[in-house]
Amino acid sequence: MNDKDSVYRVMVRMRIHPGMERDFEKTWREIAATIARHPANVGQSLAKSPDEDGVYYIVSEWENEEKFRQFEHSPEHAANRMRLDPFRDSAGTSMIPMLVASRLGSQPSPGRVRVALYLNEPESDKGSVESAYHQISTTLAGRPGLRGNELLRSLRDPRRFAVLSEWDDVPTYREWERSPEHLPTTSPLARYHDKGLGIFGSYEVVAAY
């Protein structure tokens, strides 16, 4: 991906208080509708974990980091945070800013599943994660149910990466996860798993703008 095509992506992980999930999703949709009108915002999605109760990922994309930072320090953003604060567990909230390094597939839509794989590349092995990513993606091309995947590089630490893949639905992803070819196909990235971040998480998209 050329620099001019790069997108600044922010992923926020939130754990929502039990029983407040539906109201949280409704509030997020209202907030997302206003953010979508911001000229620097490229897109947003809300994904819910099928494995961890109350865990969500909010993903937003921006033209560049400077424009996101301007929004981040705006009164509008402060007001949005105040609206979301009653729903979330502050100890279960984290933010990961990233620059999209490679993109395949289409835009997300509600009902699909996103899987985030966290990776850590050794300083002595630069370029190995991207090479392994392309190797696996070539093998997976045409896989039924796979909508696309992306390789993301952390802007805080260029040795840290995430691979986001998108699937038609939960049953389709589970079928792939349990298939005999799953581990052999993805093995080129296995040695880079970032165990400090829990290796990976799977999330169902509940809304997208």
Side-chain angles (χ1 to χ4, degrees):
M1 178 176 289
N2 297 327
D3 290 343
K4 66 179 181 179
D5 299 320
S6 297
V7 171
Y8 187 79
R9 168 171 290 177
V10 179
M11 295 196 300
V12 179
R13 180 185 185 276
M14 287 187 181
R15 184 181 297 276
I16 303 305
H17 297 303
M20 302 185 72
E21 292 87 354
R22 182 171 297 182
D23 288 339
F24 163 73
E25 292 178 15
K26 178 178 180 294
T27 302
W28 179 84
R29 290 188 181 95
E30 294 172 355
I31 291 173
T34 63
I35 295 176
R37 294 193 290 269
H38 193 287
N41 181 249
V42 178
Q44 305 166 76
S45 66
L46 177 67
K48 182 179 181 180
S49 172
D51 301 316
E52 299 178 273
D53 292 341
V55 173
Y56 289 81
Y57 254 93
I58 297 174
V59 178
S60 63
E61 293 186 344
W62 303 81
E63 290 182 3
N64 53 51
E65 181 178 5
E66 180 183 2
K67 291 183 179 180
F68 166 72
R69 295 302 180 189
Q70 290 174 355
F71 171 77
E72 184 182 31
H73 295 99
S74 68
E76 178 186 356
H77 180 64
N80 292 341
R81 290 188 60 177
M82 288 182 64
R83 291 188 64 187
L84 292 178
D85 279 346
F87 300 104
R88 63 183 179 178
D89 176 2
S90 58
T93 299
S94 61
M95 186 179 81
I96 306 174
M98 295 181 175
L99 188 67
V100 178
S102 184
R103 182 196 299 270
L104 297 172
S106 57
Q107 293 297 313
S109 66
R112 296 181 186 174
V113 170
R114 281 194 159 196
V115 180
L117 175 68
Y118 307 113
L119 308 166
N120 197 348
E121 182 180 75
E123 183 69 28
S124 60
D125 204 7
K126 290 183 179 180
S128 55
V129 165
E130 188 167 355
S131 177
Y133 163 78
H134 286 297
Q135 177 184 339
I136 295 172
S137 297
T138 300
T139 303
L140 287 177
R143 171 81 191 185
L146 178 62
R147 305 294 302 189
N149 59 75
E150 299 172 323
L151 176 65
L152 311 176
R153 178 187 292 111
S154 172
L155 292 179
R156 292 179 177 172
D157 184 347
R159 297 177 303 164
R160 291 180 180 254
F161 293 82
V163 174
L164 289 185
S165 61
E166 187 177 2
W167 299 80
D168 282 343
D169 48 41
V170 173
T172 300
Y173 169 67
R174 292 301 186 203
E175 181 181 354
W176 156 247
E177 187 181 34
R178 295 165 182 155
S179 68
E181 65 266 31
H182 176 216
L183 291 180
T185 299
T186 59
S187 62
L189 283 174
R191 67 191 182 101
Y192 304 110
H193 288 169
D194 191 339
K195 297 180 181 179
L197 290 176
I199 301 180
F200 79 97
S202 53
Y203 303 87
E204 183 177 8
V205 177
V206 295
Y209 283 77

